[in-house]
Amino acid sequence: MSLFPHNVIDFLKKSAYWADRSIRSELNLGYIADENDYTSNFTAEFRRQVNSKAMSGVSAISYKINGSLERKSGADACIILANENTAKLCLFEAKLPRLSTRKDAWDSIQKSTNGSHFSSQIQRQHKFINNFYIWEMFYCDEDFGKQSIPFLDYTSSCISHQDAYNFDRKRLNKSDKYSDQELINLHSYSNVLQVDEIIEQICLCNLGTPLNIEKIDDLLIQLKRAVNVLLIKGTEKS
């Protein structure tokens, strides 16, 4: 059973697509400073796309709270999709590689582990997989249709946590930071999706874990430190 009626799912899918495409355009034009700025603008634009169209029974709020969760969960943002009885909780980690202007600059060595920061984030994310659907979201700052391999023509490229986790476990150079070539290899290894496709599959209940709405508050205790939270509410009835 789907989380929402199909017309609502299609509406949310299109809203997610245009939110990501819009902020990618602003990034390309130089209006977005970094990946944190992109994430904040993306969740806010997703909210505006939903609310401005005024679909009956559907609403969205986004807000920002302190950023310690990223260190705990290895993720930058949380999206909550909920109807009257059921909710899906999502986390994603954002990266802005800038492959056309920088070389091997999107990852770093983490002092606490003396290894890859991205690898550490993936490992931390894995503790949350029972209750959250998680993906890695790679932003692209280049012109539409003129992006470096492996990015998509108009949107960010998204890779499921499970694909990233499996790829990370197979790395031979675990103490080194990720290179640009490894990022390309990760995309080749994985099923690359747009964020709107992920939102659609979550709403169709093909991805993620459906949770009783009454249990959400207890689960969200661990998200009190989330950087960006987007809550989208809808109805099960059309």
Side-chain angles (χ1 to χ4, degrees):
M1 183 176 178
S2 300
L3 195 62
F4 307 116
H6 285 275
N7 65 318
V8 174
I9 295 173
D10 184 63
F11 167 71
L12 294 178
K13 178 182 179 180
K14 290 176 180 175
S15 296
Y17 172 84
W18 284 109
D20 187 26
R21 180 164 171 167
S22 174
I23 305 307
R24 171 170 167 174
S25 175
E26 294 202 342
L27 176 65
N28 173 252
L29 293 170
Y31 302 143
I32 302 297
D34 53 30
E35 61 196 34
N36 291 331
D37 194 22
Y38 192 116
T39 302
S40 178
N41 276 276
F42 165 68
T43 53
E45 180 61 22
F46 194 176
R47 180 200 69 217
R48 288 190 290 267
Q49 289 281 335
V50 170
N51 290 335
S52 65
K53 296 178 179 65
M55 174 174 273
S56 178
V58 183
S59 62
I61 59 171
S62 62
Y63 48 94
K64 192 168 185 176
I65 41 188
N66 95 49
S68 299
L69 172 72
E70 200 279 334
R71 292 190 293 274
K72 179 180 178 182
S73 68
D76 286 314
C78 172
I79 297 176
I80 305 167
L81 299 158
N83 60 38
E84 300 96 326
N85 303 301
T86 306
K88 294 284 192 73
L89 302 179
C90 315
L91 292 172
F92 69 88
E93 165 61 24
K95 295 295 180 188
L96 176 54
R98 297 188 187 272
L99 296 189
S100 64
T101 58
R102 301 177 186 175
K103 181 174 176 57
D104 299 332
W106 62 277
D107 191 19
S108 61
I109 297 298
Q110 184 168 296
K111 293 181 179 179
S112 60
T113 64
N114 202 31
S116 163
H117 179 59
F118 183 53
S119 180
S120 173
Q121 289 173 316
I122 291 172
Q123 297 304 316
R124 281 178 278 150
Q125 290 169 13
H126 204 64
K127 301 174 183 178
F128 292 80
I129 60 173
N130 289 335
N131 293 317
F132 294 83
Y133 183 77
I134 307 170
W135 68 91
E136 322 301 325
M137 191 163 172
F138 295 92
Y139 302 144
C140 179
D141 62 337
E142 296 174 81
D143 289 336
F144 294 142
K146 297 181 180 179
Q147 67 287 335
S148 304
I149 295 172
F151 295 109
L152 302 178
D153 285 342
Y154 297 103
T155 61
S156 305
S157 60
C158 299
I159 292 173
S160 73
H161 163 74
Q162 194 59 56
D163 279 351
Y165 180 76
N166 291 341
F167 182 89
D168 187 68
R169 290 184 65 187
K170 296 177 180 178
R171 289 184 79 215
L172 298 177
N173 51 338
K174 295 183 184 298
S175 62
D176 294 341
K177 68 178 185 178
Y178 271 76
S179 66
D180 294 345
Q181 184 59 54
E182 283 186 289
L183 175 60
I184 294 170
N185 293 345
L186 171 60
H187 279 68
S188 298
Y189 173 87
S190 307
N191 180 27
V192 180
L193 297 173
Q194 298 177 167
V195 67
D196 56 293
E197 295 171 326
I198 291 177
I199 294 297
E200 178 186 40
Q201 292 304 311
I202 290 171
C203 291
L204 289 171
C205 291
N206 294 327
L207 296 175
T209 303
L211 301 166
N212 189 304
I213 197 73
E214 295 179 356
K215 298 180 180 179
I216 296 304
D217 286 343
D218 290 337
L219 290 171
L220 290 181
I221 290 174
Q222 59 191 301
L223 295 181
K224 284 184 177 179
R225 297 171 179 168
V227 178
N228 294 280
V229 178
L230 174 63
L231 169 61
I232 299 175
K233 293 183 178 180
T235 176
E236 291 179 281
K237 301 177 182 179
S238 56

